[in-house]
Every structure is written in C-alpha cells, then in structure tokens.
Amino acid sequence: MIRRHGPRLAVLVIAAAFTALAGLVGQAGMAALDRTEGWRARLAGEMTAAIRPSDPAGAAAETVRATEVLAGTEGVAEVRALERSRVAELLAPWTAGARGPDLATLPRLIAVELDARNPARRQDLAEALNAAGIDAVVDDHQGWQRTAADFRHSAAVGLLAALMLCASGLAAIGALAADQDFTLRRAALRTRVQLGDTPLACLLSGVGPAARDLAAGALVGGLGAAGLGVLSGLITSGISTADLIALTWRLVALVASASLIAIVCALAIAARRIQELDP
C-alpha cells in the first residue's frame, strides 16, 4: 500500500511544502515592504530642527522660542521639543556617549510634523528660524528616505527571487509527477492511442491523477501558510475582520497560482510524452 501510493504522497507533500514556503515568504515580504513604506512616509511627513544655542544657560528659553516660531510657520501641523535624554540617545553614536556637563553642548532637537495637505519646505523652516535670530539646522530626512527606498527595493528583489525559486520548485514537481504517472500508465495510454482516442483525451487521462495530487498539495500548503499567518497575527497585534478578508484572498491567489504553475508544467510534460507514443 505504501509502495503503491508513496510516489503520489511524495508529490502532494512536496507541492504543499513549496506552496507553504511561498505563502510564508510572501507574507513576510509584504510585511517588510509595508513597514518600510510606512517608515518612508513618516520620514517624508516630518523634519527635524537642530537648535544650536550660543549660551548653554539660555538653551531652554531659546528652544521654547524656536518651537513657537516653527509652530507659527505655514505648512506645519505640530511641533514638539525632544527631551535632552532622548537627544543624548539619538546622538550617542556621534558623541561617544557624552554624559553630565557634556550634555549642555548638545544641540536641542525639535520634531516638526508637516501639514499633509500643504507641507512646509525645509527652506521655509530655515528662513523662519533665521529671521528670528535662531542658529539652527533643519533636516528634511532626505538621506533617511533614500535609505528606506533602497531597503524597500532590496526587499522587493529578495521577495521576487524567493517566489521565483518556489515557482521553480512547483514547476519541477509538476513535471516530475506527470512523468511519473506517464511511466506507470504508458502501456494503457499506448493502447488508447492505438484504439483511436484523441491526443487530448489521452492527455487529460494521463495527467488527471497528477493534477489532483498537485492541486491537493497546493491547497494543503496554502491552508498551512494561512494558519501560520493568522496565528502570528493573533500573537503579535491581533487580527481584524479586514485582515482575515485580505488573508482569504491571498490564500485563494496563492493556491490558484501554485496549482496553475504545477499543472501547466505537468500538462506540458504529458503532452510531450504522448506525442512519443506510436499511433
């Protein structure tokens, strides 16, 4: 029994494994792309003003004044001054972990959230601070945005490569399953050809069992990937109805794509093998 159904079971298991792998890779890749895009969007919607007070004793007052100037600039939605301890943490890589009196020499950082409908430009903020006599440098996060865009591009390329690898595996198992079934049923198919059956009828008959095994494997793998996705969502931050609907559509697309890739390759191999039979 095991020897008889072992090859078909192997086809099902391998197809399920490649489908599940594609689903997990896709979920992880899409999550990485979404988070990177969110990071880039946040960076694009904010700027940072570094206030360099001439007198450390009056740094707090100058920071308050800079905050008021920025808040009154057109295109600014919200302004908040960062705590000195937070500034020290952010600048620690460049200040070698300055502590105590050294903190007084650190610039004061002000986070500026821009108006989404009419965002202010970096020049606008810099000119407003300069007009108020405040020594400051405004960073529009262009460098960080480029880093986020580069990371997103790299993640997309890696995701595409991984999915192509899974697709190649599904294609290979589809071709192997068709070749295996043809070898087992070669005599019966030759007889059908000699009796006058059309090549299409022989093709469908020859690839039918393999197609069922491949489709079943794709369904099992897709359900496994979806189950792990739901479990991960419940453990991390919960899962909403919208998330479940999106996951269902992704499951349908995954199973359909995996089945299509494997079955098309199985049909191609079966068609070539049937052409080799003597009429």
Side-chain angles (χ1 to χ4, degrees):
M1 186 74 174
I2 296 178
R3 181 175 299 178
R4 179 181 177 184
H5 296 286
R8 296 186 61 184
L9 181 61
V11 168
L12 191 150
V13 170
I14 296 174
F18 275 114
T19 304
L21 180 60
L24 295 175
V25 167
Q27 291 180 56
M30 291 303 297
L33 292 176
D34 290 343
R35 293 202 174 198
T36 305
E37 179 59 24
W39 178 35
R40 190 205 61 78
R42 287 194 300 273
L43 289 171
E46 291 184 353
M47 293 188 189
T48 303
I51 311 301
R52 299 177 294 194
S54 55
D55 181 13
E62 192 166 355
T63 302
V64 171
R65 190 160 66 92
T67 302
E68 295 173 350
V69 170
L70 293 171
T73 304
E74 184 179 358
V76 174
E78 183 181 352
V79 177
R80 63 185 183 279
L82 301 183
E83 297 291 336
R84 294 181 64 186
S85 58
R86 177 59 177 160
V87 175
E89 291 177 3
L90 292 173
L91 300 181
W94 294 274
T95 59
R99 293 293 185 272
D102 293 335
L103 290 177
T105 62
L106 295 178
R108 303 299 178 93
L109 300 184
I110 300 176
V112 181
E113 183 177 340
L114 305 178
D115 187 348
R117 292 172 296 180
N118 182 33
R121 300 175 304 167
R122 184 183 67 83
Q123 294 86 339
D124 299 332
L125 303 184
E127 290 174 359
L129 292 170
N130 185 57
I134 300 174
D135 184 16
V137 175
V138 179
D139 180 15
D140 58 3
H141 301 166
Q142 286 294 325
W144 290 108
Q145 290 184 59
R146 285 192 295 271
T147 300
D150 291 343
F151 180 81
R152 191 174 191 276
H153 175 74
S154 300
V157 171
L159 173 60
L160 181 60
L163 291 178
M164 289 181 65
L165 180 62
C166 294
S168 300
L170 287 166
I173 192 60
L176 179 63
D179 192 64
Q180 176 180 275
D181 276 3
F182 179 83
T183 301
L184 294 174
R185 306 180 62 194
R186 183 184 185 93
L189 290 173
R190 184 188 298 276
T191 301
R192 291 189 60 173
V193 170
Q194 292 173 347
L195 291 176
D197 278 1
T198 63
L200 178 60
C202 294
L203 174 63
L204 295 178
S205 174
V207 83
R212 288 193 295 270
D213 294 339
L214 293 168
L219 180 59
V220 171
L223 289 174
L228 290 175
V230 171
L231 181 61
S232 175
L234 291 174
I235 293 176
T236 54
S237 58
I239 189 166
S240 63
T241 303
D243 294 331
L244 285 176
I245 294 175
L247 187 60
T248 301
W249 281 111
R250 289 177 182 174
L251 170 62
V252 172
L254 172 64
V255 173
S257 301
S259 301
L260 182 63
I261 291 171
I263 292 174
V264 165
C265 289
L267 285 170
I269 294 298
R272 191 177 70 179
R273 291 290 185 266
I274 288 175
Q275 287 179 352
E276 296 173 357
L277 296 175
D278 295 330

